[in-house]
Amino acid sequence: MKIFLDTANLEELKTGVAYGVIDGATTNPSLIAKENRGFLPLIKEVLEIVPGPVSVEVTATSAGEMVEEAKKYAEISKNVVIKVPINLEGLKVVKTLSDLEIKTNVTLIFSSSQALLAAKAGATYVSPFVGRIDDISGDGMELVEQIVRIYENYSIPTEIIVASVRHPLHFVQAAMIGADIATIPFSTLTKLLNHPLTDKGMETFLKDWEKVKK
Ligand code: E4P
């Protein structure tokens, strides 16, 4: 499973990339707003750090305007993926961008029917938001299972990005189900690595090594 960082924070991206486990990044208007920086200069810096696809979300609401915005971002780098919301205007945008060979990540996916329609329109990626479904007492991972099954049934090449990841279990479940990608906050990345028994084991080894040195 590929791992994307779900952040526009340059320090988090640099650190994650240095760990050697990051394949790409996803941003959204809320993540961009947190950084208090000019949008385009920030995206350009993100693209310089990340060695793979970077999702950049359009903010217009009509298909025509979204396509114009998308073309502008796509010119910046071949790694730009245009994030488009799943609605009727969004589907038109996905079809147009797919014909122009511009990659898309269809976002705010909350049902498997939305994921199937996005794929049919030519989406490169779809992003089911598992955490936000869990937040309203649903089962986000069940949605991922459905999408994986449907895409397998029809050999659909659209890749599934498990998004709105809240904790390490979401990440493990995404990998067990066979999702292509999990996009995770930086805080989850460190939680995936830490284990108290690893820390305890290291402490014991180092203490015993001190005895050998004496
Ligand atoms: C994914 O592409 C989104 O940016 C993100 O995962 C949304 O997560 P949230 O529900 O924690 O805001």
Side-chain angles (χ1 to χ4, degrees), residues 6-7 26-28 30-31 55 57 83 105 107 127-129 131-132 135 161-166 183-185:
D6 194 28
T7 182
T26 50
T27 67
N28 64 38
S30 309
L31 292 172
S55 290
E57 191 153 345
K83 220 171 176 188
N105 171 2
T107 189
S127 289
F129 275 34
R132 293 194 196 184
D135 287 346
I161 304 179
V162 175
S164 186
V165 165
R166 299 268 197 266
T183 188
I184 61 175

Side-chain angles (χ1 to χ4, degrees), residues 3-33:
I3 305 176
F4 290 179
L5 269 183
D6 194 28
T7 182
N9 183 279
L10 301 179
E11 285 316 307
E12 290 182 350
L13 289 164
K14 278 182 202 158
T15 310
V17 168
Y19 293 155
V21 294
I22 298 305
D23 304 290
T26 50
T27 67
N28 64 38
S30 309
L31 292 172
I32 298 280

Side-chain angles (χ1 to χ4, degrees), residues 42-74:
L42 177 62
I43 287 299
K44 284 178 187 165
E45 283 201 61
V46 169
L47 283 156
E48 275 168 26
I49 297 166
V50 178
V54 173
S55 290
V56 180
E57 191 153 345
V58 288
T59 49
T61 48
S62 73
E65 284 171 320
M66 280 193 265
V67 168
E68 285 318 305
E69 208 184 335
K71 282 182 185 166
K72 198 171 73 186
Y73 303 156

Side-chain angles (χ1 to χ4, degrees), residues 17-149:
V17 168
Y19 293 155
V21 294
I22 298 305
D23 304 290
T26 50
T27 67
N28 64 38
S30 309
L31 292 172
I32 298 280
K34 272 194 205 169
E35 299 308 312
N36 269 322
R37 305 259 312 257
F39 173 57
L40 282 179
L42 177 62
I43 287 299
K44 284 178 187 165
E45 283 201 61
V46 169
L47 283 156
E48 275 168 26
I49 297 166
V50 178
V54 173
S55 290
V56 180
E57 191 153 345
V58 288
T59 49
T61 48
S62 73
E65 284 171 320
M66 280 193 265
V67 168
E68 285 318 305
E69 208 184 335
K71 282 182 185 166
K72 198 171 73 186
Y73 303 156
E75 268 174 17
I76 303 172
S77 157
K78 63 172 178 40
N79 278 345
V80 168
V81 174
I82 306 299
K83 220 171 176 188
V84 182
I86 181 71
N87 53 37
L88 289 175
E89 289 300 286
L91 280 183
K92 287 191 248 173
V93 174
V94 173
K95 163 76 179 131
T96 306
L97 296 181
S98 159
D99 289 346
L100 293 170
E101 296 187 1
I102 295 175
K103 293 192 175 92
T104 53
N105 171 2
V106 181
T107 189
L108 292 167
I109 295 279
F110 292 101
S111 75
S112 51
S113 55
Q114 290 178 325
L116 180 53
L117 291 178
K120 285 188 71 81
T124 318
Y125 305 98
V126 288
S127 289
F129 275 34
V130 296
R132 293 194 196 184
I133 295 177
D134 292 2
D135 287 346
I136 56 161
S137 307
D139 184 345
M141 296 316 300
E142 192 184 322
L143 170 61
V144 177
E145 274 176 329
Q146 286 176 8
I147 302 171
V148 167
R149 171 91 182 268

